[in-house]
């Protein structure tokens, strides 16, 4: 009996920290950052994206305009995920930006196209399916100048693996700038930071 | 029963029936004009008390969560006379961020209601905002996403302030439940110029009116002066609205204020 209890305790301790209960998805909660530094998005097969226009050369984030999605994930700073019952929030250290993913609801007509688009989502078991549209065309997709138009449509599948890592499988569809839809995947690990630092670009660039 | 008693019973019942009919006829005649008028009235009446920063709440909204401790959703402040924000708190120095002003610095100078903080574009929301807010709530964390500042604030539920905390513009917020009221304690603020503030904020948030209203009562205490400042705001449940993206930095793309002077950057 004692051996059985020891076995149970060992099993409980060995469960990865990110492995949450399937019904409340609490395993997604917390502060995350990219598992490895990454500046460029590549396709899931490791090739360059099928771009049909030139890369961007003027980076508007230099004058403190927002980074956009998925570039915010590539800035090397952490972000927090908070899973609610009707929304999932992603709160970024960079730009003090936030993205609200409204659950089980259709897209709505935005007042204007947005830097981070408009996101809706639904749970497919333990995976969060996210659908994002209504982007403006100001941002880059990554740090190397991958452009996009206002026709950009992202679908994402956010999931946890058994080791507690977070995976975001992103499908990028933009018929204006890319030959065909393509996929890329970002991997995140839990950050040692439990709070997010403040980031105010204008102040940091000495414009204030 | 004898025929006489039967007749008596029937006549008694008949009297009751007649009386009932007469009463109903009287009441119908009394209220008929109002009933006729109501038939010609508009289908939806406007409740001016429902006027928020995004207009009157439309009818037929889905109901809010019945749990009084579930604060999640989109909330917009009331603007109807007498029901909206009560304006700047007493003692707000307003211009204390101007160079050379020696007045005691108020934490409200950090807030979006300061005439200078919005221009400087680095003002996080210290409390629930003066435009729409979205609250995302998990078991241990409540995050307020603020439309006006395009910023957010994280409140650790049931937690304590960290021992080693670097003061910043947003401070550190922890909350606990007092019945169905969320009590938030916030410290560790800096002012816009980076100097520390001794402000100690206590915020009480609770729902009422069948969970369609959210009340935010704020008290700021400055131990160094013994002064209190307060602000109360009431919000309406608006699931038909979503917090829109506000990018203050867009206005700075062409110019900036540097050292108190306007500088054209492009």
């Amino acid at each position: 009996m004692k051996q059985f209890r020891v076995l149970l305790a060992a099993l409980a301790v060995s469960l990865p920290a990110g492995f949450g209960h399937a019904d409340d998805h609490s395993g997604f909660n917390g502060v995350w950052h990219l598992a490895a530094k990454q500046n460029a998005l590549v396709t899931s097969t490791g090739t360059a994206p099928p771009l049909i226009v030139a890369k961007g050369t003027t980076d508007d984030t230099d004058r403190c305009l927002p980074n956009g999605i998925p570039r915010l994930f590539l800035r090397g700073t952490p972000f927090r995920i908070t899973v609610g019952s009707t929304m999932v929030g992603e709160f970024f250290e960079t730009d003090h930006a936030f993205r609200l993913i409204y659950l089980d609801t259709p897209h709505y007509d935005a007042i204007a196209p947005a830097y981070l688009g408009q996101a809706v989502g639904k749970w497919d078991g333990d995976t969060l399916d996210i659908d994002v549209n209504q982007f403006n065309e100001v941002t880059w997709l990554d740090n190397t100048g991958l452009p996009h138009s206002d026709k950009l449509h992202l679908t994402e599948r956010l999931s946890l693996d058994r080791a507690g890592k977070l995976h975001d499988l992103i499908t990028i569809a933009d018929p204006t700038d890319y030959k065909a839809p393509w996929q890329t995947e970002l991997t995140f690990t839990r950050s040692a930071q439990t709070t997010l630092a403040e980031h105010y670009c204008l102040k940091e660039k000495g414009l204030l | 029963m004898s025929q006489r008693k039967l007749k008596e019973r029937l006549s008694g019942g008949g009297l009751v029936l007649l009386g009932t009919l007469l009463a109903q006829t009287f009441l119908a005649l009394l209220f008929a004009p109002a009933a006729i008028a109501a038939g010609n009235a508009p289908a939806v009446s406007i409740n001016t008390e429902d006027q928020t920063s995004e207009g009157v709440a439309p009818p037929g909204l889905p109901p809010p969560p019945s749990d009084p401790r579930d604060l999640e959703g989109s909330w917009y402040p009331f603007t109807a006379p007498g029901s909206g924000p009560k304006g700047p708190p007493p003692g707000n120095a307003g211009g204390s961020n101007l160079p050379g002003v020696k007045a005691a610095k108020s934490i409200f100078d950090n807030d979006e209601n300061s005439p200078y903080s919005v221009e400087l574009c680095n003002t996080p929301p210290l409390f629930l905002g003066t435009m729409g807010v979205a609250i995302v709530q998990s078991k241990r964390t409540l995050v307020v996403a603020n439309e006006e500042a395009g910023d957010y604030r994280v409140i650790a539920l049931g937690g304590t302030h960290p021992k080693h905390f670097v003061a910043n513009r947003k401070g550190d917020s922890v909350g606990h439940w007092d019945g169905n009221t969320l009590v938030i304690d916030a410290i560790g603020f800096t002012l816009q110029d980076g100097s520390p503030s001794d402000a100690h904020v206590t915020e009480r948030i609770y729902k009422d009116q069948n969970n369609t209203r959210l009340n935010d009562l704020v008290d700021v205490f400055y131990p160094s002066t013994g002064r209190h400042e307060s602000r109360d705001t009431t919000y309406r449940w608006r699931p038909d609205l979503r917090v829109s993206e506000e990018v203050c930095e867009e206005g700075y793309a062409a110019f900036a204020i540097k050292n108190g002077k306007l500088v054209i950057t492009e």
Side-chain angles (χ1 to χ4, degrees), chain A:
Chain A
M1 191 58 179
K2 185 179 174 184
Q3 289 168 333
F4 181 64
R5 282 189 206 138
V6 168
L7 177 62
L8 276 181
L11 279 173
V13 168
S14 67
L15 281 174
F19 191 79
H21 295 288
D23 52 346
D24 66 3
H25 313 291
S26 58
F28 288 78
N29 287 329
V31 182
W32 302 87
H33 62 73
L34 263 182
K37 189 172 163 80
Q38 182 177 348
N39 273 323
L41 291 179
V42 293
T43 69
S44 296
T45 54
T47 57
L51 191 57
I52 55 176
V53 298
K55 273 193 174 184
T57 53
T58 302
D59 190 351
D60 283 326
T61 64
D62 286 340
R63 53 195 186 113
C64 296
L65 291 183
N67 277 266
I69 287 283
R71 188 179 181 188
L72 266 174
F73 296 118
L74 303 180
R75 295 308 265 178
T77 52
F79 64 100
R80 170 183 290 279
I81 293 179
T82 301
V83 176
S85 55
T86 62
M87 289 183 264
V88 173
E90 290 176 339
F91 304 95
F92 299 87
E93 189 172 282
T94 298
D95 297 342
H96 54 83
F98 62 86
R99 179 166 79 147
L100 300 174
I101 302 158
Y102 293 86
L103 299 177
D104 303 319
T105 185
H107 281 288
Y108 64 109
D109 292 328
I111 297 170
Y115 291 88
L116 271 63
Q118 311 289 343
V120 296
K122 64 180 191 314
W123 290 103
D124 176 15
D126 291 333
T127 299
L128 180 62
D129 282 332
I130 307 169
D131 192 290
V132 199
N133 63 11
Q134 301 180 68
F135 288 94
N136 63 27
E137 50 190 4
V138 174
T139 64
W140 289 351
L141 294 178
D142 67 6
N143 296 332
T144 70
L146 274 186
H148 68 82
S149 73
D150 59 1
K151 300 291 183 289
L152 176 66
H153 180 201
L154 299 183
T155 53
E156 301 172 56
R157 284 182 65 81
L158 199 63
S159 61
L160 286 168
D161 66 23
R162 294 194 70 84
K165 288 187 180 176
L166 186 69
H167 298 270
D168 193 359
L169 179 63
I170 308 170
T171 303
I172 297 169
D174 184 343
T176 302
D177 287 8
Y178 296 88
K179 195 184 302 182
W182 53 284
Q183 281 190 335
T184 187
E185 183 165 330
L186 300 177
T187 302
F188 308 95
T189 54
R190 288 200 180 271
S191 173
Q193 282 179 233
T194 55
T195 58
L196 302 176
E198 61 182 32
H199 174 242
Y200 296 100
C201 179
L202 291 171
K203 193 170 179 68
E204 289 178 8
K205 287 188 179 292
L207 296 176
L208 293 178

Side-chain angles (χ1 to χ4, degrees), chain B residues 56-79:
Chain B
V56 175
L61 289 179
S66 57
D67 182 356
R69 291 189 176 189
D70 186 347
L71 307 183
E72 184 162 300
S74 296
W75 300 91
Y76 280 75
F78 278 99
T79 57

Side-chain angles (χ1 to χ4, degrees), chain A residues 58 60 62-63 65 207, chain B residues 250-256 263-266:
Chain A
T58 302
D60 283 326
D62 286 340
R63 53 195 186 113
L65 291 183
L207 296 176
Chain B
E250 277 181 341
Y252 269 78
F255 69 93
V263 174
I264 305 297
T265 58
E266 64 176 27

Side-chain angles (χ1 to χ4, degrees), chain B residues 151-188:
Chain B
D151 205 334
Y152 59 86
R153 182 163 71 111
V154 179
I155 298 141
L157 298 177
T160 55
H161 294 295
K163 286 182 183 172
H164 306 290
F165 178 73
V166 178
N168 61 56
R169 299 294 313 284
K170 297 187 193 182
D172 181 72
S173 298
V174 297
H176 71 274
W177 290 100
D178 177 9
N180 291 326
T181 297
L182 178 63
V183 182
I184 301 171
D185 186 279
I187 57 171

